[in-house]
C-alpha cells in the first residue's frame, strides 16, 4: 500500500517515549500504531519468534513499531497522551500487562504469552520511515485526531472508535503511573 513514508525522528521517539500515528490497512480500515524506543540488546539475548524479523531489521535503530492494541482485550496502549512505559516495557493501562518494547512479547498478566502485532519501519540517518506494505500513513496522532479525514473512505470510522472508547471500562490495574 505504501512505498516509504517519513514519520518522525528517533530523537523525538526517545524524548517523548512513544509516538502515535494513524494508518489505513489493506481493508481500508483505520488503525493506530505506536513507535517506541528500544534499548539495544546484548548479543545472543532471546526475543519472541514472531518479532525476530522486525528486531533484526531495526536492531540498530533503537525504535520499534507496534499496532496500538493490547492483545488481551484490544485496549489502546497509547490513548492519545503517550504509552505508559517502565524499564523498557509498554504497560497496558487496563490490566497492567507489560510488553517488551523491543520484541512486543508479554510474559505476565492477562496478555501473557502473546506478542503485539509488528509494523515494519526503517530508520536511516535518524529518521523513521513506515515501510510496511500492509499500511498507508494517514496522519500523526490518534484516529480521533483526524477529524473529517478519518471518515473520508468509510464514513463513521472515527466516530465509531470514539464511541468504543466511551464504552471501555476505566483501568482496573493495580499499577500506578
Amino acid at each position: 500500500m505504501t512505498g516509504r513514508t517519513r514519520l518522525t525522528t528517533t530523537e523525538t521517539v526517545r524524548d517523548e517515549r512513544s509516538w502515535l500515528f494513524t494508518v489505513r490497512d489493506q481493508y481500508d480500515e483505520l488503525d493506530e500504531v505506536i513507535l517506541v524506543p528500544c534499548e539495544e540488546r546484548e548479543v545472543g539475548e532471546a526475543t519472541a519468534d514472531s518479532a525476530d524479523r522486525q528486531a533484526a531489521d531495526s536492531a540498530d535503530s533503537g525504535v520499534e513499531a507496534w499496532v496500538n492494541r493490547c492483545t488481551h482485550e484490544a485496549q489502546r496502549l497509547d490513548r492519545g497522551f503517550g504509552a505508559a512505559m517502565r524499564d523498557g516495557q509498554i504497560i497496558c493501562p487496563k490490566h497492567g500487562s507489560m510488553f517488551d518494547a523491543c520484541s512486543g512479547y508479554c510474559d505476565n498478566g492477562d496478555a501473557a504469552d502473546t506478542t503485539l502485532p509488528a509494523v515494519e519501519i526503517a530508520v536511516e540517518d535518524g529518521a523513521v520511515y513506515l515501510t510496511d506494505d500492509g499500511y498507508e500513513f494517514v496522519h500523526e496522532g490518534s484516529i480521533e485526531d483526524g477529524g473529517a479525514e478519518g471518515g473520508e473512505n468509510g464514513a463513521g470510522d472515527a466516530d465509531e472508535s470514539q464511541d468504543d472508547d466511551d464504552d471501555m471500562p476505566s483501568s482496573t490495574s493495580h499499577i500506578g503511573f
Side-chain angles (χ1 to χ4, degrees):
M1 288 182 82
T2 184
R4 176 177 150 126
T5 304
R6 186 181 188 286
L7 300 170
T8 188
T9 65
T10 56
E11 182 179 355
T12 298
V13 174
R14 286 189 190 105
D15 288 348
E16 295 181 13
R17 304 303 298 159
S18 67
W19 195 82
L20 178 67
F21 63 102
T22 298
V23 294
R24 188 173 306 280
D25 68 16
Q26 66 266 24
Y27 304 106
D28 206 30
E29 297 290 326
L30 295 178
D31 209 346
E32 294 175 353
V33 176
I34 55 172
L35 298 176
V36 294
C38 170
E39 302 304 321
E40 289 184 16
R41 297 178 173 279
E42 300 210 11
V43 175
E45 188 172 337
T47 61
D49 290 339
S50 63
D52 281 346
R53 172 190 45 79
Q54 183 176 1
D57 290 346
S58 59
D60 296 329
S61 74
V63 175
E64 294 294 334
W66 308 106
V67 172
N68 188 32
R69 283 191 303 276
C70 177
T71 54
H72 172 234
E73 288 185 358
Q75 173 75 30
R76 291 168 58 198
L77 300 168
D78 180 338
R79 296 177 289 171
F81 45 87
M85 297 194 60
R86 182 184 312 145
D87 298 328
Q89 295 186 320
I90 306 163
I91 305 168
C92 175
K94 187 170 184 183
H95 292 117
S97 292
M98 298 170 69
F99 297 87
D100 182 84
C102 298
S103 70
Y105 182 74
C106 178
D107 65 359
N108 64 74
D110 293 331
D113 296 323
T114 64
T115 302
L116 295 171
V119 175
E120 293 176 26
I121 58 169
V123 176
E124 291 179 18
D125 298 324
V128 182
Y129 298 89
L130 175 63
T131 59
D132 197 312
D133 290 336
Y135 298 101
E136 175 185 352
F137 178 80
V138 177
H139 60 79
E140 180 180 348
S142 71
I143 290 171
E144 292 83 13
D145 292 342
E149 185 176 2
E152 180 180 314
N153 289 327
D157 285 348
D159 292 336
E160 288 173 19
S161 293
Q162 183 70 37
D163 291 342
D164 288 346
D165 287 345
D166 293 340
D167 295 335
M168 295 293 259
S170 61
S171 175
T172 58
S173 173
H174 64 283
I175 299 174
F177 301 113

